[in-house]
Amino acid sequence: MKKRADGRYCKQILVGYKPDGKRIMKSIYGRTIKEVEKQERELRNKIDSGLVIGTKQNITLAEWADLWLNTYKNNVSYNTKSMYANAIQVHISPTLGNIPVSKIKPVQIQGLINALVEKGSIRTAEVVKLTLEQLFRQAVTEGYINKNVTDGLNAIKRNDNEKRT
């Protein structure tokens, strides 16, 4: 712990490592030593619970979707992979692609699905929902996010009177 010229105390904490092996450090500042120690305990608790993640927290949904498709969906059939790719390129990336995975809220996903249903694209909405559920389930496993934001989305209801071709 160092005392800075402005009178505050500073402590650097190791948060993780980059893919190339370099350290990721987080600086904590406070007016008193006790304040810095309290912040350090809070940060360490967050690190232990997985809330603080090194470089993974800034990956956008478009980047993650591309990585997910090429990594985890290589063993599926050609048509299935093209279905996922179409859902990502046409519907997911243009609307939610530039948002970091950790910042996406369920209301944004539900809004995308509702917009597709309102257009009459029920099957497309089902495919987009399926793709997003798998994307976020794997993002939780990989440590990009702590909670799957697709849990609790409203189900897509079909009109039973209409024939499906």
Side-chain angles (χ1 to χ4, degrees):
M1 189 173 320
K2 293 181 184 178
K3 187 166 185 176
R4 296 168 39 106
D6 63 359
R8 294 185 300 167
Y9 291 93
C10 175
K11 185 164 189 174
Q12 296 244 328
I13 297 176
L14 176 68
V15 179
Y17 294 92
K18 294 180 183 176
D20 62 356
K22 292 185 180 178
R23 294 178 176 190
I24 301 171
M25 303 298 283
K26 174 104 173 138
S27 298
I28 297 175
Y29 300 96
R31 292 276 175 213
T32 64
I33 294 174
K34 284 188 177 186
E35 186 179 331
V36 173
E37 288 172 349
K38 180 183 175 192
Q39 289 180 8
E40 179 186 7
R41 281 192 304 274
E42 290 172 0
L43 180 62
R44 294 218 186 265
N45 287 337
K46 286 181 181 179
I47 291 170
D48 292 341
S49 65
L51 292 174
V52 175
I53 302 162
T55 59
K56 293 182 178 181
Q57 63 189 354
N58 294 327
I59 190 169
T60 64
L61 182 59
E63 294 169 343
W64 169 240
D66 187 47
L67 180 65
W68 170 81
L69 185 66
N70 294 324
T71 305
Y72 295 101
K73 295 302 172 183
N74 265 343
N75 58 348
V76 297
S77 71
Y78 173 80
N79 289 336
T80 304
K81 189 171 181 179
S82 64
M83 175 191 70
Y84 290 132
N86 182 49
I88 291 167
Q89 292 170 357
V90 176
H91 301 288
I92 297 170
S93 289
T95 55
L96 302 173
N98 60 348
I99 303 171
V101 174
S102 59
K103 303 278 188 223
I104 292 179
K105 304 290 181 214
V107 70
Q108 295 168 309
I109 296 170
Q110 190 68 54
L112 171 63
I113 293 169
N114 291 346
L116 290 170
V117 170
E118 286 174 12
K119 288 182 188 176
S121 307
I122 294 175
R123 178 61 187 151
T124 305
E126 289 172 345
V127 169
V128 168
K129 184 179 178 201
L130 170 78
T131 305
L132 285 168
E133 285 172 344
Q134 292 183 35
L135 270 168
F136 283 104
R137 190 177 318 122
Q138 193 62 46
V140 170
T141 304
E142 289 291 322
Y144 290 105
I145 53 177
N146 299 315
K147 182 183 166 203
N148 189 342
V149 293
T150 59
D151 290 344
L153 290 179
N154 291 338
I156 300 165
K157 294 182 182 174
R158 291 184 172 273
N159 188 351
D160 293 337
N161 298 337
E162 292 181 24
K163 298 258 185 207
R164 184 173 170 210
T165 57

